[in-house]
Amino acid sequence: AMTDIAAIQDDGDYRQAVDAIWRDIVHTKLYLTGGIGATRHGESFGEAYQLPNDTAYNETCAAIALANWAHRMFLLHGDSGYVDVLERILYNGLLSGVSLDGKHFFYPNPLSSDGVTPFNQGSAGRQPWFGCACCPGNVTRFVASVPGMAYARRDHHLFVNLFVNGTARVQADGQQVEISMQTEYPWRGGFMLKVKPEQNSVSLALNIRVPGWTRNQPVPGGLYRFADDAAEPLTVSVNGEYVEPAMKNGYARIDREWSAKDVVIVNFPLPVRRVLANDQVEADRGRVALQRGPIVYCLEQADNPALDIPRFVLDHQSPVHPAWMPDKLGGIMQLNIPSTHGRSAATAIPYNVWANRGPNTMEVWLRSGVGPPDATHYQ
């Protein structure tokens, strides 16, 4: 509501306030999965950098609230960093709150579980209902609202924020314009976008979000970083010809006259990245997480029956290979970590589908074969 007032009334005091609160959350109190709320006591934030994994509260409703707020902050500022946070929540800390069959739910969403300790209203797994049933209803309501977050328009600028299959219609240049997208994102990078104006042509500035993870920035601020700088640039083509769009606020802008047969193709490389936390996050020192595109991964006992997951060490030299598994957990891109240097092999799955095979030991942050990240990276 404060953000809406700041936008509608152009209120500088409210704008300054919401900006300060946002920085505090995203720079010091945001989980890698997009969850918020370090403690169940008062369902509250902890201190800065207090991000325990096994006792993380990360209420599903809180993830939904932050996603809604991220969208409002984007509408206020027009910066892609807010949508990066929204996307991280969508594909990780929110989606984990509901089972694949849509009938069982998490109230909290921890990043570590021993498969035994009851953390979810008396259960170590998802529950079909709760005495305070805010999360199930919020999930269904929020999922239905996501299409309204995919695109945004301001004057003759169209912002492409979420990469999802579907068709949208917007008003631009005095006429209706149909925008259609085809994609297999987030499992495969990129999408095809068709621009179809109602009349012969339309003047439109297409602003395509370039996700922060393609620019070596997991989230805005210094809370997390990639262990390497190996990000490859995206490619953009219009009608088969490569273009170099101007960049502004994290968006690739193509400003031109569009006709009914114009096609834009964007390709995002999707390497597997190792993520490190700021050294001030005590729970994650000497640990590493895996991410591919916007998807955060975890190790679960169901895929690694012989593995002592809490003691598993991911060596910095260990290769990690993505593999498409169409018949597993509704169809996922899993990560295969082969045995190297005497270390055990392992399989990682997207965090959002864990606990769909019963309560399981699970870890997002794995012991690392290298030392803790150097705090000087964050000066």
Side-chain angles (χ1 to χ4, degrees):
M2 289 175 64
T3 307
D4 285 345
I5 292 173
I8 294 169
Q9 299 187 1
D10 193 23
D11 191 306
D13 291 339
Y14 273 23
R15 183 190 300 260
Q16 185 177 1
V18 295
D19 285 350
I21 297 170
W22 178 269
R23 284 193 301 270
D24 181 58
I25 293 172
V26 174
H27 292 200
T28 70
K29 298 174 181 175
L30 180 72
Y31 279 89
L32 184 64
T33 55
I36 52 172
T39 174
R40 66 181 58 244
H41 300 294
E43 299 185 330
S44 62
F45 291 106
E47 299 296 325
Y49 305 107
Q50 180 187 344
L51 295 168
N53 294 310
D54 56 347
T55 60
Y57 200 59
N58 285 347
E59 185 187 1
T60 300
C61 284
I64 291 170
L66 185 60
N68 280 323
W69 187 31
H71 182 233
R72 296 298 220 289
M73 290 293 282
F74 158 73
L75 294 176
L76 175 64
H77 291 292
D79 191 285
S80 70
Y82 301 105
V83 188
D84 286 346
V85 174
L86 167 61
E87 180 183 67
R88 179 168 295 275
I89 298 166
L90 280 176
Y91 287 113
N92 301 289
L94 163 68
L95 206 54
S96 60
V98 59
S99 62
L100 289 172
D101 65 9
K103 299 178 181 179
H104 299 82
F105 304 88
F106 276 147
Y107 209 101
N109 293 269
L111 279 70
S112 173
S113 174
D114 62 9
V116 178
T117 303
F119 63 86
N120 185 38
Q121 305 289 298
S123 172
R126 290 187 182 84
Q127 295 264 45
W129 202 245
F130 305 108
C132 177
C134 53
C135 295
N138 262 336
V139 167
T140 55
R141 179 178 64 175
F142 181 80
V143 169
S145 73
V146 170
M149 301 178 180
Y151 300 94
R153 185 183 64 84
R154 183 180 61 200
D155 300 325
H156 87 298
H157 290 269
L158 179 68
F159 294 83
V160 182
N161 283 330
L162 301 178
F163 313 125
V164 292
N165 285 310
T167 301
R169 292 172 180 83
V170 298
Q171 289 294 123
D173 201 17
Q175 61 176 305
Q176 182 170 274
V177 181
E178 181 181 281
I179 308 294
S180 61
M181 182 179 292
Q182 296 178 19
T183 182
E184 294 182 2
Y185 186 91
W187 305 126
R188 293 177 174 84
F191 59 85
M192 178 172 66
L193 192 72
K194 295 182 179 180
V195 182
K196 187 178 180 182
E198 186 179 38
Q199 300 172 14
N200 293 330
S201 63
V202 61
S203 176
L204 188 66
L206 203 61
N207 296 266
I208 300 167
R209 181 175 64 92
V210 180
W213 51 262
T214 70
R215 297 179 280 114
N216 288 311
Q217 186 182 61
V219 294
L223 188 53
Y224 302 106
R225 68 180 176 90
F226 292 122
D228 59 66
D229 296 326
E232 303 173 44
L234 80 166
T235 59
V236 181
S237 67
V238 178
N239 300 329
E241 296 185 5
Y242 288 102
V243 297
E244 293 187 11
M247 290 293 300
K248 184 174 182 179
N249 296 332
Y251 287 90
R253 178 173 296 176
I254 308 172
D255 195 347
R256 54 170 280 166
E257 292 284 327
W258 300 90
S259 61
K261 295 184 180 180
D262 287 339
V263 177
V264 179
I265 295 179
V266 177
N267 281 306
F268 299 114
L270 289 177
V272 178
R273 308 295 299 276
R274 285 167 164 82
V275 185
L276 303 176
N278 188 307
D279 193 49
Q280 295 182 76
V281 182
E282 183 178 357
D284 300 331
R285 287 180 194 155
R287 293 181 177 271
V288 62
L290 293 172
Q291 179 176 325
R292 183 178 182 268
I295 302 290
V296 175
Y297 281 77
C298 68
L299 262 60
E300 190 177 23
Q301 202 72 64
D303 303 295
N304 305 277
L307 202 65
D308 186 352
I309 290 178
R311 295 181 178 275
F312 175 79
V313 176
L314 180 63
D315 189 87
H316 68 284
Q317 295 180 337
S318 297
V320 183
H321 305 295
W324 175 242
M325 309 296 288
D327 300 320
K328 182 175 181 178
L329 295 168
I332 62 168
M333 190 72 75
Q334 75 175 23
L335 302 181
N336 296 325
I337 306 166
S339 175
T340 56
H341 307 293
R343 301 184 189 275
S344 301
T347 298
I349 62 169
Y351 170 78
N352 61 42
V353 294
W354 85 277
N356 274 282
R357 295 164 292 185
N360 265 283
T361 301
M362 181 276 296
E363 296 284 348
V364 169
W365 289 98
L366 310 174
R367 293 174 181 266
S368 175
V370 296
D374 185 349
T376 59
H377 285 286
Y378 303 97
Q379 300 303 316

